[in-house]
Amino acid sequence: MSANSRLTIAAHALAWIGLYQRQGHEVATSEQIATSANTNPVVIRRLLGELRRAGLVESRRGVGAGWSLARELGSMTLLDVYEAVEPGPLFAMHRTTPDQGCVVGYGIQPAMQGVYEGIEETLRHELARVTLENVLRDVLAAPR
Amino acid sequence: MSANSRLTIAAHALAWIGLYQRQGHEVATSEQIATSANTNPVVIRRLLGELRRAGLVESRRGVGAGWSLARELGSMTLLDVYEAVEPGPLFAMHRTTPDQGCVVGYGIQPAMQGVYEGIEETLRHELARVTLENVLRDVLAAPR
DNA sequence: CTTGTTGCAACCTTCGTTGTTACGACTGCG
DNA sequence: CGCAGTCGTAACAACGAAGGTTGCAACAAG
């Protein structure tokens, strides 16, 4: 699977902004976050734009502009972030419709749909158990 | 996420072979399965090759050749299939190493690693609860 | 020997993600 | 008002994964 680092980078950005604000700063720039994540500022702006649409962060423009949290880290879960940055389902159906004249071709999609829905529900439940506050705590707890 | 249909197609193929064998046939050909799944026989052979390496199916060559189940559908779970056809992890870390001089850049990977491991474990547990027998039963239960 | 099927390599197309450049929009400050 | 710093966003290239396609060697039943 073309595994996806979007959730990782988004969590990185949120933890960074949260920590930076706790150090007394008003806003963080995409440039600073990009340096920490070792990527391009535009990538960060794109991701944070999706988080803004989800109401997790706010942005200011003009001189001294940048990004700030719209809510406390403790009230944000990885599920909020996941839903903001990951559009599609975890598993896909066939790219082309299977043979509807075949018993298996006809019934396989509803059958797998049921399984996949249950799994995604479980995944959401797991993601909802972890707040960004938890993530930041674990980040700071890393041994040096 | 570039969602993946490999698990779906693999389950389709296994259910098809299982049903076909119950109808009294010895082996199924990749051609027949490809017709049902509306794809190319080579795609099916590639997938079934991975399932063979995992010990789920067997293949015979020569005239009258084809694929057969190596075990009962009831003893195969979606986890077996998942592990056979999906190599990588669900979520990826940064593609480039984050800034190790930054507190967040340093601690983010271990923090997310811990979260992701827990989630993958839960996913495996869910997949292990569904046997291919369950899948075939649901396939046949689809209303016409 | 012929025939039908797998095994496998090679290549192309498509698609999603990431990286990069460019430029307009906005705003605080002098 | 003009400048400078930053966001907002479009456009495009680079890259990799997955799927589709073709071709052919290997194999085995008859």
Side-chain angles (χ1 to χ4, degrees):
Chain A
M1 175 176 306
S2 65
N4 221 326
S5 65
R6 298 167 67 82
L7 184 58
T8 304
I9 303 290
H12 186 145
L14 287 170
W16 202 96
I17 299 173
L19 181 59
Y20 197 59
Q21 289 194 318
R22 286 183 194 186
Q23 291 169 347
H25 301 91
E26 284 272 324
V27 297
T29 69
S30 60
E31 175 89 35
Q32 295 170 314
I33 301 168
T35 299
S36 170
N38 194 12
T39 180
N40 193 291
V42 177
V43 173
I44 299 297
R45 291 208 287 269
R46 280 201 288 238
L47 266 177
L48 287 179
E50 300 179 49
L51 297 184
R52 177 174 30 136
R53 256 166 258 134
L56 302 183
V57 299
E58 291 166 349
S59 64
R60 290 210 306 244
R61 304 174 72 165
V63 171
W67 304 83
S68 53
L69 299 179
R71 306 198 234 140
E72 288 297 315
L73 285 184
S75 77
M76 270 180 224
T77 71
L78 283 182
L79 177 59
D80 298 322
V81 183
Y82 177 80
E83 291 185 330
V85 304
E86 302 279 1
L90 210 51
F91 298 108
M93 286 298 146
H94 312 61
R95 334 181 95 193
T96 58
T97 308
D99 180 5
Q100 297 296 295
C102 164
V103 183
V104 178
Y106 181 82
I108 188 72
Q109 293 205 343
M112 297 306 287
Q113 200 70 49
V115 174
Y116 291 161
E117 275 167 15
I119 289 177
E120 297 221 6
E121 192 50 42
T122 306
L123 172 71
R124 284 171 195 283
H125 192 255
E126 286 294 301
L127 287 170
R129 289 178 50 201
V130 183
T131 68
L132 269 293
E133 182 71 43
N134 297 149
V135 172
L136 180 55
R137 187 200 56 213
D138 291 355
V139 164
L140 298 177
R144 284 216 92 102
Chain B
M1 174 175 308
S2 66
N4 222 325
S5 65
R6 297 168 68 81
L7 183 58
T8 303
I9 304 290
H12 186 146
L14 287 171
W16 202 96
I17 300 173
L19 180 59
Y20 197 60
Q21 290 194 316
R22 287 183 193 185
Q23 292 169 347
H25 301 89
E26 284 272 324
V27 296
T29 69
S30 60
E31 176 87 34
Q32 295 170 314
I33 302 168
T35 299
S36 170
N38 194 12
T39 181
N40 193 291
V42 177
V43 174
I44 299 297
R45 291 209 286 268
R46 281 201 287 237
L47 266 177
L48 287 179
E50 299 178 51
L51 296 184
R52 185 189 29 193
R53 255 166 259 135
L56 303 183
V57 299
E58 290 166 348
S59 65
R60 290 211 306 244
R61 303 174 73 164
V63 170
W67 303 83
S68 54
L69 298 179
R71 306 199 234 139
E72 288 298 315
L73 284 184
S75 78
M76 270 180 223
T77 71
L78 283 181
L79 177 59
D80 298 322
V81 183
Y82 177 80
E83 290 184 331
V85 303
E86 301 279 0
L90 211 51
F91 299 107
M93 285 298 146
H94 311 61
R95 337 181 90 192
T96 58
T97 309
D99 180 5
Q100 297 296 294
C102 164
V103 182
V104 178
Y106 181 82
I108 188 71
Q109 292 205 343
M112 296 307 287
Q113 200 70 49
V115 174
Y116 291 162
E117 276 167 15
I119 288 176
E120 297 223 5
E121 192 50 42
T122 305
L123 172 71
R124 284 170 196 283
H125 192 256
E126 286 294 302
L127 287 170
R129 289 177 50 201
V130 183
T131 68
L132 269 293
E133 181 72 44
N134 297 149
V135 172
L136 180 54
R137 187 200 57 213
D138 291 356
V139 164
L140 298 177
R144 285 215 91 105

